[in-house]
Amino acid sequence: MDIQWYPGHMDKAQKEVQSKLKQVDVVIELADARIPRSSRNPLLETIIQDKPSVIVLTKADLADPKVTEEWKQYYRDQGIEAVDVDSKHKKGLHVIKEAALQQTERLQARWKRKGIKPRAIRAMIIGIPNVGKSTLINQWIGKKTAKIGDRPGITKNQQWLKMGKEMDLLDTPGILWPKFEDPYVGERLAATGAIKDELLDLQDIAYFIIGICQEYYPEKLLQRFGLEDKPRETSLEWFEDIGRKRGALLAGAEIDYEKAGEMVVREFRGGLLGRISLERPYDEASE
């Protein structure tokens, strides 16, 4: 399954991010805690280069907490500060600001040595579409400043936001990259909602989600869908059992694969299957 999506406005947004980078002191890069590697834009990594940065793993309430801790340690082993947040329930938001300010300590010390009057730290917040950026910003600031939606591509323009006296925040649109070289990346992004559903076959995405659950979280499938605990060798067997159990049927008791697929994807994204991570730091496929 070859999934690609790169609207024209993303190319413009990427160039704008690059042009504004010199104006900021630290970059706050958001990644989906369920797919930390796949949800990081490799082009942004190239643009950021040596600029102080923090990785924020969003939607941590939907990810496997044990795997999230593994990812945080994975990045810290590379010298990259990483924190996780649950914006929906306002958990961990204060840690982002603390981590960003900590990353600019050298800069602030240099200002002090040179006798430069301290000013608010300028931070740029970046990430792919539908990574939870607008929700995080609104919860962080305490008012609805950024547009929120459950589909990618809501934020189209950059805007500066005040984060108290200590920080000014530059919000940017979600940006993907022109081509996903690894097909697994496209599947993971599609599963988490970073790509418009109109471009997808949700039945295939459901197979992918079930395949991950079959390997790592079979008990979650059994519990959520009330399935019999019996041997199943393929994702298709799980998928058909789920369809039957939920009544996703056509005439003649045939499985309605389209309806069942939409249901599985919707319940995964909503966290109804439980806290599930779709990739791990040292999975061969995710490397």
Side-chain angles (χ1 to χ4, degrees):
M1 178 171 46
D2 185 22
I3 299 171
Q4 305 291 336
W5 185 47
Y6 189 68
H9 75 271
M10 290 191 184
D11 182 60
K12 177 184 176 183
Q14 179 187 318
K15 292 176 181 177
E16 290 177 350
V17 165
Q18 194 163 6
S19 68
K20 291 287 181 65
L21 196 62
K22 293 180 179 179
Q23 300 178 21
V24 303
D25 307 309
V26 61
V27 175
I28 299 173
E29 181 185 359
L30 305 190
D32 191 315
R34 296 167 294 179
I35 52 169
R37 180 180 286 112
S38 295
S39 59
R40 293 187 69 199
N41 185 336
L43 295 180
L44 292 179
E45 292 183 59
T46 302
I47 292 171
I48 294 170
Q49 295 184 348
D50 296 329
K51 181 74 69 173
S53 63
V54 177
I55 293 179
V56 177
L57 302 179
T58 61
K59 306 186 181 183
D61 57 311
L62 299 177
D64 183 331
K66 181 180 178 181
V67 177
T68 298
E69 288 301 317
E70 292 175 1
W71 276 109
K72 287 160 62 178
Q73 189 60 52
Y74 171 82
Y75 285 121
R76 288 167 182 168
D77 288 344
Q78 299 178 50
I80 304 171
E81 181 58 26
V83 300
D84 64 296
V85 299
D86 171 4
S87 302
K88 185 177 180 180
H89 302 101
K90 299 184 179 181
K91 294 180 179 179
L93 296 178
H94 66 285
V95 179
I96 306 173
K97 190 172 183 179
E98 292 172 4
L101 292 173
Q102 186 177 27
Q103 292 299 306
T104 62
E105 285 180 349
R106 287 188 179 182
L107 175 64
Q108 296 178 67
R110 188 161 66 245
W111 290 345
K112 190 174 182 179
R113 287 196 306 269
K114 294 183 176 181
I116 299 174
K117 185 178 180 181
R119 60 163 172 76
I121 295 298
R122 295 171 185 153
M124 175 187 287
I125 188 165
I126 61 174
I128 66 168
N130 207 32
V131 76
K133 181 161 53 62
S134 296
T135 299
L136 185 149
I137 289 173
N138 289 337
Q139 296 283 33
W140 204 3
I141 294 178
K143 57 183 178 181
K144 290 187 178 180
T145 301
K147 293 180 180 179
I148 296 178
D150 59 358
R151 64 187 190 281
I154 297 295
T155 304
K156 290 294 198 300
N157 301 302
Q158 296 182 350
Q159 58 176 331
W160 280 101
L161 306 167
K162 293 293 292 183
M163 300 292 296
K165 296 180 180 180
E166 294 180 299
M167 184 182 294
D168 293 335
L169 187 66
L170 178 60
D171 182 20
T172 63
I175 307 171
L176 289 171
W177 53 107
K179 183 174 177 59
F180 309 140
E181 299 293 343
D182 182 351
Y184 285 106
V185 170
E187 290 178 333
R188 293 180 185 123
L189 292 171
T192 55
I195 297 173
K196 285 187 175 180
D197 283 348
E198 292 83 352
L199 305 175
L200 306 173
D201 183 335
L202 293 183
Q203 180 180 325
D204 286 342
I205 304 305
Y207 283 155
F208 173 72
I209 293 170
I210 290 172
I212 298 292
C213 291
Q214 179 184 356
E215 182 173 0
Y216 294 106
Y217 309 104
E219 75 287 348
K220 294 185 184 295
L221 292 178
L222 295 174
Q223 182 177 353
R224 177 60 189 172
F225 297 109
L227 301 177
E228 179 187 350
D229 188 0
K230 66 179 184 178
R232 296 177 179 85
E233 295 184 1
T234 67
S235 298
L236 179 59
E237 290 179 65
W238 282 95
F239 188 80
E240 291 181 339
D241 283 350
I242 289 170
R244 292 191 189 93
K245 193 68 176 182
R246 283 294 183 86
L249 302 172
L250 299 170
E254 293 291 325
I255 303 294
D256 187 336
Y257 291 97
E258 183 177 351
K259 182 178 179 180
E262 292 175 356
M263 176 190 63
V264 170
V265 173
R266 182 177 64 251
E267 297 202 3
F268 164 74
R269 290 176 182 172
L272 298 178
L273 301 187
R275 301 179 68 172
I276 293 171
S277 294
L278 297 182
E279 64 181 355
R280 286 156 169 72
Y282 301 103
D283 284 350
E284 289 185 14
S286 73
E287 292 284 2

